[in-house]
Amino acid sequence: MTWPCTEERPPLEPTQEVFSSPQPVPAFNFRISGGPPTPAVWFLTEDRTELLQIQRDRFTRNWAKRSGDEKYPSYDELWSAFEHDFTEFIQFLEEENIGSPSLLQCELTYVNPIKAGLNWKKHSELGNVLALWSGQTTEGFLPEPEDIQVALRYTIPDPDGQPAGRLYVKVEPVPSPDSTPPTIVMT
């Protein structure tokens, strides 16, 4: 893959999972004067649907729908592309005697749009899409909800039962014009 387009962008804020606290810890960030932060550099394909974002503490590979005609790549395709690009990046660092990165955290985000179909027709029918949702929303006092959003967080244990990672699952309705079927996005 070639990356003919480049852009400088502000860097994303540092992030790291903490397992000692059951809830996310509020963060307070500040910067002491002395110059701008080291930028993130984006490397993009000519059609701008694929990009690498590289900054001091992050290597990110993304895919984006631009015109609406692009086919959403499968998980296997994206994972293979990430492995290839990260391997090339490591080789570049070694060849240029820059050093090897010290990995602190890996993050994978996959977005799965679920269009209305046989089992569900409107956003309030989340129970027909997501097994953990019972569908029971009120005891009759209120009508069915317009939509439902769910956020889940799981700790992933290592073989010794110690926290090794987290899985975040977010399910959200996507507003759609009246003429199109509803969509739910699972991230």
Side-chain angles (χ1 to χ4, degrees), residues 113-117 120-125 146 173-185:
I114 304 167
K115 298 217 177 278
W120 74 283
K121 304 247 183 285
K122 51 190 173 180
H123 288 137
S124 63
E125 297 174 326
E146 295 177 43
V174 176
S176 54
D178 293 333
S179 60
T180 62
T183 301
I184 292 172
V185 172

Short mmCIF file of all heavy atoms in Angstrom, two decimals, residues 113-117 120-125 146 173-185:
data_model
loop_
_atom_site.label_atom_id
_atom_site.label_comp_id
_atom_site.label_asym_id
_atom_site.label_seq_id
_atom_site.Cartn_x
_atom_site.Cartn_y
_atom_site.Cartn_z
N PRO A 113 -22.57 -1.91 11.44
CA PRO A 113 -23.94 -1.41 11.27
C PRO A 113 -24.90 -2.58 11.04
O PRO A 113 -24.63 -3.46 10.22
CB PRO A 113 -23.85 -0.53 10.03
CG PRO A 113 -22.57 -0.87 9.36
CD PRO A 113 -21.71 -1.63 10.32
N ILE A 114 -25.99 -2.60 11.79
CA ILE A 114 -26.99 -3.67 11.69
C ILE A 114 -28.28 -3.05 11.19
O ILE A 114 -28.94 -2.29 11.91
CB ILE A 114 -27.20 -4.35 13.07
CG1 ILE A 114 -25.86 -4.86 13.60
CG2 ILE A 114 -28.22 -5.47 12.96
CD1 ILE A 114 -25.90 -5.25 15.07
N LYS A 115 -28.64 -3.36 9.97
CA LYS A 115 -29.85 -2.78 9.36
C LYS A 115 -31.09 -3.55 9.81
O LYS A 115 -31.02 -4.74 10.09
CB LYS A 115 -29.73 -2.81 7.85
CG LYS A 115 -28.56 -1.98 7.34
CD LYS A 115 -28.90 -1.28 6.06
CE LYS A 115 -27.77 -0.41 5.60
NZ LYS A 115 -27.70 0.86 6.20
N ALA A 116 -32.21 -2.86 9.85
CA ALA A 116 -33.48 -3.50 10.20
C ALA A 116 -33.74 -4.66 9.23
O ALA A 116 -33.37 -4.60 8.07
CB ALA A 116 -34.62 -2.49 10.12
N GLY A 117 -34.36 -5.70 9.75
CA GLY A 117 -34.62 -6.88 8.93
C GLY A 117 -35.80 -7.67 9.45
O GLY A 117 -36.74 -7.11 10.01
N TRP A 120 -36.32 -7.39 13.48
CA TRP A 120 -36.61 -6.08 14.08
C TRP A 120 -36.87 -5.06 13.00
O TRP A 120 -36.36 -5.15 11.90
CB TRP A 120 -35.47 -5.66 15.00
CG TRP A 120 -34.22 -5.22 14.30
CD1 TRP A 120 -33.28 -6.00 13.72
CD2 TRP A 120 -33.79 -3.87 14.10
NE1 TRP A 120 -32.29 -5.24 13.16
CE2 TRP A 120 -32.57 -3.92 13.38
CE3 TRP A 120 -34.32 -2.63 14.45
CZ2 TRP A 120 -31.87 -2.77 13.03
CZ3 TRP A 120 -33.62 -1.49 14.09
CH2 TRP A 120 -32.41 -1.57 13.39
N LYS A 121 -37.73 -4.09 13.34
CA LYS A 121 -38.12 -3.07 12.36
C LYS A 121 -37.91 -1.65 12.88
O LYS A 121 -37.87 -0.71 12.11
CB LYS A 121 -39.60 -3.25 12.00
CG LYS A 121 -39.93 -4.65 11.50
CD LYS A 121 -40.33 -4.62 10.04
CE LYS A 121 -40.74 -5.97 9.53
NZ LYS A 121 -39.68 -6.90 9.29
N LYS A 122 -37.81 -1.47 14.22
CA LYS A 122 -37.63 -0.14 14.79
C LYS A 122 -36.65 -0.21 15.96
O LYS A 122 -36.44 -1.27 16.55
CB LYS A 122 -38.96 0.48 15.20
CG LYS A 122 -39.82 -0.40 16.05
CD LYS A 122 -41.21 0.18 16.21
CE LYS A 122 -42.08 -0.83 16.93
NZ LYS A 122 -43.40 -0.39 17.13
N HIS A 123 -36.07 0.96 16.27
CA HIS A 123 -35.01 1.02 17.28
C HIS A 123 -35.44 0.48 18.64
O HIS A 123 -34.61 -0.03 19.38
CB HIS A 123 -34.51 2.46 17.42
CG HIS A 123 -33.70 2.90 16.26
ND1 HIS A 123 -33.84 4.15 15.70
CD2 HIS A 123 -32.74 2.29 15.54
CE1 HIS A 123 -33.00 4.27 14.69
NE2 HIS A 123 -32.32 3.16 14.57
N SER A 124 -36.69 0.58 18.99
CA SER A 124 -37.12 0.12 20.31
C SER A 124 -37.11 -1.40 20.43
O SER A 124 -37.27 -1.92 21.53
CB SER A 124 -38.53 0.65 20.60
OG SER A 124 -39.46 0.12 19.67
N GLU A 125 -36.88 -2.12 19.35
CA GLU A 125 -36.88 -3.58 19.38
C GLU A 125 -35.47 -4.15 19.57
O GLU A 125 -35.13 -5.20 19.03
CB GLU A 125 -37.51 -4.14 18.10
CG GLU A 125 -38.96 -3.73 17.94
CD GLU A 125 -39.56 -4.16 16.60
OE1 GLU A 125 -38.84 -4.16 15.58
OE2 GLU A 125 -40.76 -4.47 16.60
N GLU A 146 -38.41 5.60 22.05
CA GLU A 146 -38.09 5.89 20.66
C GLU A 146 -36.87 5.11 20.21
O GLU A 146 -36.79 4.66 19.08
CB GLU A 146 -37.81 7.38 20.47
CG GLU A 146 -39.00 8.27 20.71
CD GLU A 146 -38.62 9.73 20.59
OE1 GLU A 146 -37.87 10.07 19.65
OE2 GLU A 146 -39.04 10.51 21.44
N PRO A 173 -28.62 3.61 18.24
CA PRO A 173 -29.43 3.76 17.03
C PRO A 173 -28.82 4.83 16.13
O PRO A 173 -28.15 5.74 16.61
CB PRO A 173 -30.78 4.24 17.58
CG PRO A 173 -30.43 4.94 18.85
CD PRO A 173 -29.23 4.22 19.41
N VAL A 174 -29.03 4.69 14.85
CA VAL A 174 -28.58 5.68 13.89
C VAL A 174 -29.81 6.38 13.34
O VAL A 174 -30.69 5.71 12.79
CB VAL A 174 -27.79 5.03 12.73
CG1 VAL A 174 -27.42 6.05 11.68
CG2 VAL A 174 -26.56 4.33 13.26
N PRO A 175 -29.91 7.69 13.50
CA PRO A 175 -31.05 8.39 12.92
C PRO A 175 -31.07 8.17 11.41
O PRO A 175 -30.04 8.20 10.76
CB PRO A 175 -30.79 9.86 13.25
CG PRO A 175 -29.76 9.86 14.33
CD PRO A 175 -28.99 8.59 14.17
N SER A 176 -32.24 7.91 10.89
CA SER A 176 -32.34 7.70 9.45
C SER A 176 -33.55 8.45 8.92
O SER A 176 -34.54 8.63 9.62
CB SER A 176 -32.46 6.21 9.14
OG SER A 176 -33.53 5.63 9.85
N PRO A 177 -33.45 8.88 7.67
CA PRO A 177 -34.61 9.54 7.06
C PRO A 177 -35.81 8.59 7.04
O PRO A 177 -35.64 7.38 7.09
CB PRO A 177 -34.15 9.86 5.64
CG PRO A 177 -32.66 9.75 5.67
CD PRO A 177 -32.31 8.81 6.78
N ASP A 178 -37.01 9.15 6.99
CA ASP A 178 -38.23 8.34 7.04
C ASP A 178 -38.28 7.24 5.99
O ASP A 178 -38.88 6.20 6.20
CB ASP A 178 -39.47 9.24 6.91
CG ASP A 178 -39.62 10.15 8.11
OD1 ASP A 178 -39.14 9.78 9.20
OD2 ASP A 178 -40.20 11.22 7.97
N SER A 179 -37.62 7.46 4.88
CA SER A 179 -37.75 6.51 3.76
C SER A 179 -36.79 5.32 3.87
O SER A 179 -36.91 4.36 3.14
CB SER A 179 -37.51 7.21 2.44
OG SER A 179 -36.21 7.77 2.43
N THR A 180 -35.81 5.39 4.79
CA THR A 180 -34.85 4.29 4.90
C THR A 180 -35.11 3.48 6.16
O THR A 180 -35.57 4.02 7.16
CB THR A 180 -33.41 4.81 4.91
OG1 THR A 180 -33.25 5.65 6.06
CG2 THR A 180 -33.08 5.57 3.65
N PRO A 181 -34.78 2.18 6.11
CA PRO A 181 -34.97 1.36 7.31
C PRO A 181 -34.01 1.82 8.41
O PRO A 181 -32.93 2.31 8.12
CB PRO A 181 -34.64 -0.05 6.86
CG PRO A 181 -34.40 -0.01 5.40
CD PRO A 181 -34.31 1.43 4.99
N PRO A 182 -34.39 1.62 9.67
CA PRO A 182 -33.50 2.02 10.76
C PRO A 182 -32.25 1.16 10.78
O PRO A 182 -32.21 0.06 10.24
CB PRO A 182 -34.33 1.79 12.02
CG PRO A 182 -35.57 1.14 11.62
CD PRO A 182 -35.65 1.10 10.14
N THR A 183 -31.21 1.68 11.42
CA THR A 183 -29.95 0.98 11.59
C THR A 183 -29.51 1.12 13.04
O THR A 183 -29.71 2.14 13.65
CB THR A 183 -28.86 1.57 10.67
OG1 THR A 183 -29.30 1.46 9.32
CG2 THR A 183 -27.52 0.86 10.82
N ILE A 184 -28.91 0.06 13.56
CA ILE A 184 -28.27 0.08 14.86
C ILE A 184 -26.79 -0.14 14.60
O ILE A 184 -26.41 -0.97 13.77
CB ILE A 184 -28.81 -1.05 15.76
CG1 ILE A 184 -30.28 -0.77 16.13
CG2 ILE A 184 -27.96 -1.21 17.02
CD1 ILE A 184 -30.95 -1.91 16.86
N VAL A 185 -25.94 0.62 15.28
CA VAL A 185 -24.50 0.46 15.12
C VAL A 185 -23.94 -0.14 16.40
O VAL A 185 -24.15 0.39 17.48
CB VAL A 185 -23.81 1.80 14.81
CG1 VAL A 185 -22.30 1.66 14.83
CG2 VAL A 185 -24.25 2.32 13.46
#
